[in-house]
Amino acid sequence: MITRFLLRMRFFTVCLPGGGLYVPAQTVDMRQFFLYMDSDTTYPELVATVAPVLLQGELNPFSASRVAESAFNFEPDLQQLDEGLSVLNLYNGPTGVFKDFGIAFLAAVMEELLKNSSPAMVLSATRGDTGVSIANAFNNREGITSVLLYPSGHIRGLESASFVPKGGNIIPIQVKGTFDDCQRLIMATINDLPFAERYGVTSANAINPGRLLPQTFYYLYAFIKIKKQLHGDLVFSVPSGNFGNLIAGLYAWKFGMPVNGFIAAMNANDAFGDYIQGEKFIPRPLINTNSPALDVSIPSNYERLASFYEEAPAVMRNMVYPAAIDDETTLKTMEQAWKKYNIILDPHSAVAFAAAEQLRNSRDFDGHIHTVVLATAHPAKEAALVTKATGQTVEIPRRLRMLQKKVDPIAIIDPQLDALEGAIASCL
Ligand SMILES: *Cc1c(COP(=O)(O)O)cnc(C)c1O
């Protein structure tokens, strides 16, 4: 089903040798589609225009605007701070994290593309909010069942009314084991062809191109909002862990977005910076920091990034600048951003903000470079840390408070394939 789904999207069908990661098979020039757009263009309008170009021949303009409308009742928000600095707030989605943008689009586009064909089942594993975001994005999507596996412990933020026995389409299953057991079970289910074919099994993990490509849309959106104010270089600063977000930016550039560089903003886990600077990538042990989504030792998009470097190493050296920001600087940056600009940053966004400030101070800054900092999480996600750094209390929006509520699974299973398949089958 994965291949069937991906084959439908011809765009995604090149598989890297050994890596198994899909990258766009052809380069699309989208300039003619977005260069005439300006700050009046809404996010759904942009998505409806650009998505059919990306999914060539698969999504007609009418379907695309249905998908855009049904995916996005939230928008990126570009906030210009001064002549050389903006923040692109990407945390207004249902779980307060930028990943909502990719997930929401994937759910909506799958529903649209699967219309009039056999039903599908999306499997995901989670130990935190992302899986919940996936399950919720597929909630009420016609023809799709969403199975969520999580390791021993509690899951939060789902409504039991949306579970299969109650007439919904979500099946949360607790696995007596680890997160890795959950992922292994998903792979085993996908490889069990009779079962996978019968239920149309696919997965929605972070390296799924159906989640990655829609992340290019908000880069284009930031560009059309800021382009009239640009007098020189445009740079994006991206808090990077598994490097999906940065890769999406690079795709936007490949598709024709005029941009001069990307800052790969990392925390103390910055071994990948060596690779970006042309050295060999030697992973280092993980360090726990106050920006945990960036605590990654081997980025899962490594092969995708490597394919850019193999194609044009010299170009890439001038395109991506690595930066490493320690915890102390992160907190200091949160404080300074509040004092200077009256904005509240979460620690991940602060890493990117600090890296942007470093770049602007390191060059002979003359106002001719504009940096857009990607703010990837709502400050309320790390409310205590925000208060510590800024002295401000953050109000937790209702949708994020909902995510605190514990729910019970539909089944608790041993980490075995037959147990999983039995639990799924007994619900349907
Ligand atoms: C996932 C995440 C990141 C890192 O994004 P990658 O695509 O993995 O590089 C940054 N910030 C937050 C808040 C995240 O949840």
Side-chain angles (χ1 to χ4, degrees), residues 75-153:
E75 294 207 333
D77 162 40
L78 187 84
Q79 200 181 348
Q80 189 170 355
L81 302 180
D82 64 32
E83 208 198 338
L85 191 63
S86 298
V87 176
L88 181 66
N89 296 319
L90 297 172
Y91 51 66
N92 293 319
T95 62
V97 176
F98 80 99
K99 294 181 179 75
D100 287 334
F101 280 92
I103 291 166
F105 182 84
L106 175 68
V109 83
M110 268 186 77
E111 181 182 48
E112 183 71 27
L113 292 181
L114 290 170
K115 260 185 196 166
N116 310 322
S117 73
S118 46
M121 179 177 287
V122 177
L123 263 51
S124 39
T126 192
R127 46 188 155 196
D129 291 348
T130 307
V132 173
S133 171
I134 293 171
N136 285 330
F138 281 100
N139 186 20
N140 290 327
R141 296 281 174 199
E142 216 167 297
I144 304 175
T145 308
S146 168
V147 177
L148 184 58
L149 301 187
Y150 64 97
S152 300

Side-chain angles (χ1 to χ4, degrees), residues 226-243:
I226 200 74
K227 68 177 183 182
K228 283 213 182 101
Q229 267 87 267
L230 290 180
H231 304 294
D233 288 0
L234 173 64
V235 171
F236 286 91
S237 184
V238 188
S240 295
N242 279 311
F243 280 77

